[in-house]
Amino acid sequence: MGEFDLIARYFTRPVHRAALGVGDDCALLVPAAGMQLAVSSDMLVEGRHFFADVDREALGHKALAVNLSDLAACGARPLAFTLALALPRVDEPWLAGFSRGLLALADAHGCELVGGDTTQGPLNICITVFGEVPAGHALLRSGARAGDELYVSGTLGDARLALEALLGHTPLAPEVLAAARQRLERPTPRVALGMALRGVASSAMDVSDGLLGDLSHILKASGVGARIDTSLTAALMAHAGAAAGPEQLHQCTLAGGDDYELAFTAPPSQRAAVAAAAQASQTPVARIGVIEAEPGLRLVDGQGQPVDKRYASFDHFG
């Protein structure tokens, strides 16, 4: 099977919102009046971001989910995406499963595949996603202010717990591993929450490399600091009882990565609006700390005492 046959069989579909999709040198997108385009790219590399034996349908899902998570952090509605795919060889069963997982998530979010590229090489998946957001209403990293409250959506740490088990570091009961592995391999992009937080949250970003590492980008862009209650973050891990001990629990929840939840800030006056956004999007959110004027990130325990421990998030070149 040649390149164009591969594209035609597994990745060519009619478009309904884009002006022009797969088949020409460029796709054509037309955002609605008063909207700005939000654009993000993410790359998944075999051996670095996923195991070689990962379920191909789950990999298709995750490849798009991590990009949709970026749109969610901006408060953008998905429009379309492109796919650049390097394959060691043409493996039709693999392509069928991968495209099925990819396109099922795309359909769920009304996000059309409009172009891309394929070539032979080590397995590498690169997606660029396009969304739209009302002009001037995008959620940014630079809006946090002293006194704002810090929130996180969903659960934290379960993806890292699954990774530790798959690497042989932490034994898990089969049913616990299966549930935690879902969080690692099939993350849920919080698109509906991101859109509901427009005009409510003062800043936001998605948690992909670990809460502390990702939050540091908000603090730097906003010129502020933060205090986090580690007893509250520990309570957000669905399978906390499976962790080897308190240190692993904190490592998973504070620096685990692959959560693809939203971390965001909002003034105390917006508590009701945050609760309404969570309810409207059917996404649980929890307050875990507060933004402070003094730069830096401070961890405290449930009694407010300082936690003298550093947790390193994922580094793509580490």
Side-chain angles (χ1 to χ4, degrees):
M1 181 185 296
E3 175 185 6
F4 296 105
D5 293 328
L6 184 158
I7 293 170
R9 180 173 299 182
Y10 295 105
F11 300 112
T12 298
R13 313 171 93 199
V15 294
H16 303 285
R17 294 162 60 188
L20 184 65
V22 175
D24 280 72
D25 291 310
C26 292
L28 299 177
L29 304 180
V30 183
M35 294 287 191
Q36 293 177 315
L37 277 179
V39 184
S40 181
S41 293
D42 264 302
M43 185 183 301
L44 297 182
V45 179
E46 184 180 43
R48 184 62 172 169
H49 300 104
F50 59 90
F51 294 104
D53 65 347
V54 67
D55 177 79
R56 53 205 176 212
E57 192 168 332
L59 182 59
H61 172 100
K62 184 170 183 177
L64 182 58
V66 302
N67 285 269
L68 293 178
S69 183
D70 286 330
L71 291 186
C74 192
R77 180 171 71 102
L79 288 177
F81 71 102
T82 62
L83 168 68
L85 183 62
L87 296 167
R89 64 188 182 283
V90 175
D91 180 338
E92 292 199 56
W94 188 94
L95 284 162
F98 175 83
S99 63
R100 187 164 53 247
L102 177 82
L103 298 176
L105 185 62
D107 288 345
H109 289 276
C111 192
E112 300 180 325
L113 176 57
V114 296
D117 191 25
T118 59
T119 190
Q120 187 173 22
L123 184 55
N124 188 353
I125 306 157
C126 184
I127 286 178
T128 297
V129 71
F130 304 87
E132 63 179 11
V133 61
H137 287 80
L139 302 178
L140 305 177
R141 300 177 182 181
S142 55
R145 298 292 179 263
D148 285 355
E149 294 172 321
L150 174 62
Y151 295 81
V152 69
S153 67
T155 65
L156 295 178
D158 299 289
R160 175 60 180 267
L161 184 67
L163 178 62
E164 292 296 311
L166 293 171
L167 292 173
H169 300 160
T170 302
L172 293 180
E175 64 275 12
V176 174
L177 175 57
R181 191 166 184 171
Q182 282 288 103
R183 293 286 293 135
L184 175 66
E185 297 180 347
R186 289 183 177 270
T188 301
R190 303 301 189 179
V191 174
L193 176 63
M195 290 191 292
L197 287 172
R198 293 192 304 229
V200 175
S202 53
S203 69
M205 73 173 297
D206 80 325
V207 180
S208 55
D209 296 332
L211 175 64
L212 298 187
D214 290 326
L215 178 59
S216 69
H217 300 304
I218 287 180
L219 303 184
K220 181 178 180 180
S222 299
V224 293
R227 183 176 75 251
I228 291 178
D229 184 338
T230 58
S231 68
L232 299 179
T233 54
L236 294 177
M237 186 169 168
H239 300 93
E247 280 307 307
Q248 185 183 40
L249 177 60
H250 289 313
Q251 181 64 47
C252 287
T253 55
L254 295 173
D258 268 327
D259 295 306
Y260 296 100
E261 298 291 351
L262 295 187
F264 62 95
T265 60
S269 61
Q270 294 282 25
R271 281 188 186 179
V274 169
Q279 183 175 18
S281 63
Q282 298 183 341
T283 306
V285 302
R287 276 184 287 127
I288 59 167
V290 64
I291 300 299
E292 299 178 325
E294 182 185 354
L297 184 56
R298 289 162 286 281
L299 304 179
V300 298
D301 61 20
Q303 288 71 49
Q305 297 302 307
V307 174
D308 187 20
K309 176 73 176 179
R310 303 180 71 89
Y311 297 94
S313 292
F314 179 75
D315 183 345
H316 290 270
F317 291 91

